[in-house]
Each structure stands twice: as structure tokens, then as C-alpha cells.
Amino acid sequence: RTGQRLPAVTANGEQVGDNLRFGRIEVQPSPDAPPIPVSVNFGGRMHLTGYDLSKRIAQPGESITVTLRWDALRPMEKDYTVSVQLVDSSQRKAAQHDGPPLQGATPTTTWKQHQTLTDAIPLTIFPDASAGVYRVRIAVYAHDQGTIEHLPVIPSGGQMQTDHVTLTEVRITP
């Protein structure tokens, strides 16, 4: 009630100050935890409804897995590629993976309307990546006669915003 800190006491009754320091504590989600919910519309074709990361701190050469949960908004006439990148504030990349969903096992032209798919994408941090904070950036695109055609990210208001979305951040340590 007074706001005064209580003394910390060992099992032997020895006072050790007003706080204790524990080693590093890492909180792990339960294996059946749902992904982090998001709502990102890619061109009226694909809806990103959630994501998850295997870890938020990594070192060069290590891998993390970015899991994306997609809903198909309509049948698609093109096979789209999903790009997952770790990018810092200077636009330097620490990792990148571009490929069809589910490692090509389920091309987007086979998706049925309202079908939900979960895609686990491994990212290996570049060996020469600098320490720092990197944004997890997602883009979807198709190759069209030698050019890249990005699906626009459409916010709930309906106006085109950009060709990618940033989900969260990852820290690269030395």
C-alpha cells in the first residue's frame, strides 16, 4: 500500500536487497496455440489471416520458420509466388525466401474459394548479416512475360496501399 519495496530474503534469512535476478527466461507458446491474427488482403485473391514465428532472435547462419495462414478469396488464374524477407531500416536483407506456397505442392491455381492453407517457410539468416532489428516483410507476385506483377495490399478501406506488408520484427545478434 505504501509503495515501499519489500526486502528479498534467502532461505537462510539473509537479506539480498529488494530484488532478485533470474537467468534468461524464454516464454514458449503452447504447441496448439493459434497463429497471431492479421487481416491482409492481397489483390482480392488471397487473404493472410495469421502468422507465427519459430523464434524472434537469431544469429547469422541460423534458421527461423515463418508460418503463414492463407484463405483463398476466389479461384486464381495465375500461380503466385510468396516472398518472405527480413529487411532492416536501410533496406538491407538478412534473409529471403521466394517460392510457391507449400514448397510448390499447392500452386495458387489449385486453391478453391474459401480454402484455408498453412504454409511454413524456412528462412536461413545470411552468414554475413549484420546485427540489428529486421522487419518481416511479405509480398505476393506472379511472373508475367518477363516482368514481376505484385498483388497489391488492399486495406479495409479499399484503396491500394503497397505491394508488401510488414508483420513484425526479428533481432539478429552477433
Side-chain angles (χ1 to χ4, degrees):
R1 293 180 203 219
T2 67
Q4 183 178 1
R5 296 177 78 156
L6 298 175
V9 181
T10 68
N12 300 352
E14 177 186 348
Q15 288 194 357
V16 292
D18 65 357
N19 66 71
L20 291 176
R21 297 217 181 236
F22 295 96
R24 181 177 173 169
I25 298 173
E26 189 171 329
V27 178
Q28 295 287 332
S30 67
D32 58 345
I36 299 163
V38 294
S39 181
V40 183
N41 180 328
F42 283 89
R45 291 171 179 83
M46 302 166 65
H47 183 218
L48 182 62
T49 62
Y51 73 94
D52 203 359
L53 296 174
S54 60
K55 56 185 169 181
R56 294 184 180 268
I57 299 174
Q59 294 179 330
E62 290 184 341
S63 291
I64 64 172
T65 300
V66 179
T67 302
L68 304 175
R69 181 175 289 172
W70 297 102
D71 280 342
L73 296 176
R74 64 180 181 162
M76 290 177 251
E77 64 287 344
K78 294 181 182 179
D79 285 322
Y80 290 96
T81 298
V82 176
S83 178
V84 181
Q85 305 171 358
L86 300 183
V87 182
D88 72 7
S89 60
S90 298
Q91 302 305 312
R92 290 180 301 223
K93 293 178 189 172
Q96 179 170 349
H97 178 276
D98 287 36
L102 289 98
Q103 290 78 43
T106 311
T108 56
T109 53
T110 67
W111 292 14
K112 306 289 187 241
Q113 188 171 8
H114 305 300
Q115 181 180 5
T116 298
L117 297 105
T118 301
D119 191 10
I121 300 168
L123 282 178
T124 301
I125 310 301
F126 299 153
D128 61 348
S130 299
V133 175
Y134 291 80
R135 296 181 307 275
V136 179
R137 187 163 70 183
I138 309 296
V140 178
Y141 64 90
H143 292 281
D144 190 17
Q145 299 178 359
T147 62
I148 293 178
E149 173 192 316
H150 280 90
L151 284 181
V153 174
I154 302 172
S156 58
Q159 298 175 337
M160 187 170 85
Q161 184 179 27
T162 183
D163 63 1
H164 68 273
V165 65
T166 299
L167 298 178
T168 189
E169 294 178 337
V170 170
R171 180 174 299 281
I172 307 298
T173 60

